[in-house]
Amino acid sequence: MNSKIKFKTISNLTLQFFLILGLLTQCTLDLNNPKDPRSRGFFETALWEEYLRGLCNTDLRGTIRFGSGTYKIYPYQLLKLKSGNFLVTAGVFESVSWNGNPNGKNFSYSGTPGTDINAIIFLINGKSFQVEWLDYLGIITVASDDKSTVPAVELSNGDIVTSAYVKSTSQGSPISSKSNINSLHMVRYNQSGNRVWNTYLDKADNSIVESRFVLITDEGDNIHFFFNGVGISMTPDTVGFGEFPSMVVPSDATNTGNKEIGWGVISQSGNPIKQRYLPSYGQTIIKDATYLGEGTILIFGGAEDNYIGYTGHPLPSYNFQRPMVTKLSTSNFDMVNTTYLGTNSTNHTLGYISEAIIASDGVYTTGVSAGDFGSSFHSFQLYSGTTSFRNAIFSKFDRNGNLIWNQFLGSTLSDIVELAPKLSYLSSNNLLKAYTFSPVSGALFTGFSIPITGKGINPYQKTTLNIAGANGYYQSIHYETGLNNFPPTSEDLLTNVAVAKESCGGRMVRLQNTIDINTEIGTMEVTTRPAYEEP
């Protein structure tokens, strides 16, 4: 009976799809941009995506594991594509097997296992939960676990663009050849894993943070990439990447080693268009960005001082980092405004926004707070025995970058882990899920009275916090043992969620690694389980 019902549902979906598609083909609009709501392409794309989502199985269970467990492995990005498939990027110190295949679709692992870290990208079928293809981008210049090391973004037609700063030899027949020892390698793939194009972008050695890049696209499928330039002298950077036209706005370069945000634009065909800096007095780091339509970009990170020509930093000239959100205009290729969060107290030295998720009613973020600020229902938890006064922070912004609400997560009994939580958004019920660890002392979080589920022991308990998107109120928190023994032995492995995305109906897909916390050696997996098992 269940199979008959399922068949009937799929048949109805199929019939509805082709009936509506037939009507759309009669549309007289000439526009065919899948990101433009006025175009036929937009409606066809939206309909196809809705049809695919209707086939999603909320009870699917599966795990795909990578790595031999001999070396480190770094999970970076997990993207849910419009097709319902999932894209993953990671850093590996060895050749990894997928479907029994040790080679990449276009290129394979290069270098010395255990020494050289390669960037990989692979596609997982959202229905079968099997790897469709996997490819290697080359040897990454710096071995980093920063998720921005290998970013990725989807174009309107389903193609994927990714990048990595590499030191290995040139791959294929690039649009622009590799000129420096270390270069930014950018690749466009179709969903079959074939390369549409690849190119190399070259910048002066030591003038860039090699593990921090953010990619987004606009309506025209132009690729906006953000990076952190590094001052190598007290002379402003007027060159940037050599393949681009001349720099629109150079860096400030007040001090050697100062980090400032750079912004470049590349066409969907891989041709550089323009580049500039967002010059600042102190170090300003980029962590994430979102495109909100109508030429508006919000970028997120941390700032030690004001941008040149702007004010508002709570504690300028002290070099204490504060969370930052900045609104940009793609049409003007310029800044519109910026918002800084955090206290003006010199007791608090650190704060940044690490992740941003766009939703229909705003932008949700997480990160690390720099002391108490604003009006929060869940107040800052001050642990007097620490020197860093660290809390996790959850915030919601409108599309102009104005703060709607912010909440804190901490403990008055212990300092919390240095890692910012990982955030996921469930659109069906406007719910946020935050994944983190309990405080290192073994204490639990304080400052709220909400349902607590699960029962863990020892420090580093795996923690899932559910947050109402409308007002930021915490709904429930779940604790689960992370380490059976503490201090851990070599047999005690800790699972860390790097990224989590909703597949459908509350079923989550997680990109995570399981490691020895003393050596960071372990494996990586992409895993999912039925929605009803989610805390």
Side-chain angles (χ1 to χ4, degrees), residues 13 17 44-55 82:
L13 282 169
F17 171 73
E44 290 176 348
T45 301
L47 180 62
W48 177 243
E49 293 168 10
E50 187 62 32
Y51 171 73
L52 291 174
R53 282 193 291 268
L55 300 179
K82 295 189 292 288

Side-chain angles (χ1 to χ4, degrees), residues 256-298:
T256 300
N258 193 41
K259 298 180 179 67
E260 299 175 73
I261 297 174
W263 176 13
V265 185
I266 292 180
S267 73
Q268 60 176 297
S269 57
N271 297 311
I273 299 174
K274 53 190 173 182
Q275 62 175 336
R276 63 160 293 169
Y277 277 95
L278 308 177
S280 55
Y281 293 111
Q283 300 206 44
T284 305
I285 62 171
I286 177 78
K287 288 284 192 178
D288 207 350
T290 59
Y291 183 73
L292 298 121
E294 300 180 346
T296 297
I297 295 173
L298 292 182

Side-chain angles (χ1 to χ4, degrees), residues 66 96-98 101-107 120-123 131-136 189 193:
F66 297 88
V96 293
S97 177
W98 57 285
N101 185 357
N103 301 314
K105 182 175 179 66
N106 303 288
F107 292 89
I120 63 170
I121 179 172
F122 58 92
L123 186 82
V131 177
E132 296 279 316
W133 54 266
L134 182 148
D135 200 25
Y136 292 78
Y189 293 91

Side-chain angles (χ1 to χ4, degrees), residues 152-222:
V153 68
E154 183 180 16
L155 300 179
S156 61
N157 71 342
D159 283 4
I160 300 136
V161 176
T162 187
S163 69
Y165 214 77
V166 299
K167 62 181 180 181
S168 48
T169 57
S170 181
Q171 292 182 344
S173 301
I175 296 172
S176 178
S177 300
K178 189 173 187 288
S179 299
N180 292 354
I181 295 176
N182 304 317
S183 303
L184 183 65
H185 187 199
M186 190 171 289
V187 186
R188 175 174 174 174
Y189 293 91
N190 62 25
Q191 286 218 18
S192 297
N194 299 311
R195 291 189 174 189
V196 179
W197 52 257
N198 73 308
T199 192
Y200 289 89
L201 304 176
D202 296 281
K203 199 174 185 299
D205 286 341
N206 304 316
S207 69
I208 193 169
V209 178
E210 294 133 329
S211 59
R212 193 175 297 146
F213 299 93
V214 177
L215 298 177
I216 58 172
T217 61
D218 60 25
E219 288 99 341
D221 273 339
N222 292 313

Side-chain angles (χ1 to χ4, degrees), residues 261 284-285 299-303 307 322-326 338-340 353:
I261 297 174
T284 305
I285 62 171
I299 63 172
F300 303 87
Y307 290 111
R322 296 293 184 260
M324 168 277 297
V325 53
T326 301
T338 188
T339 300
Y340 300 99
I353 295 172

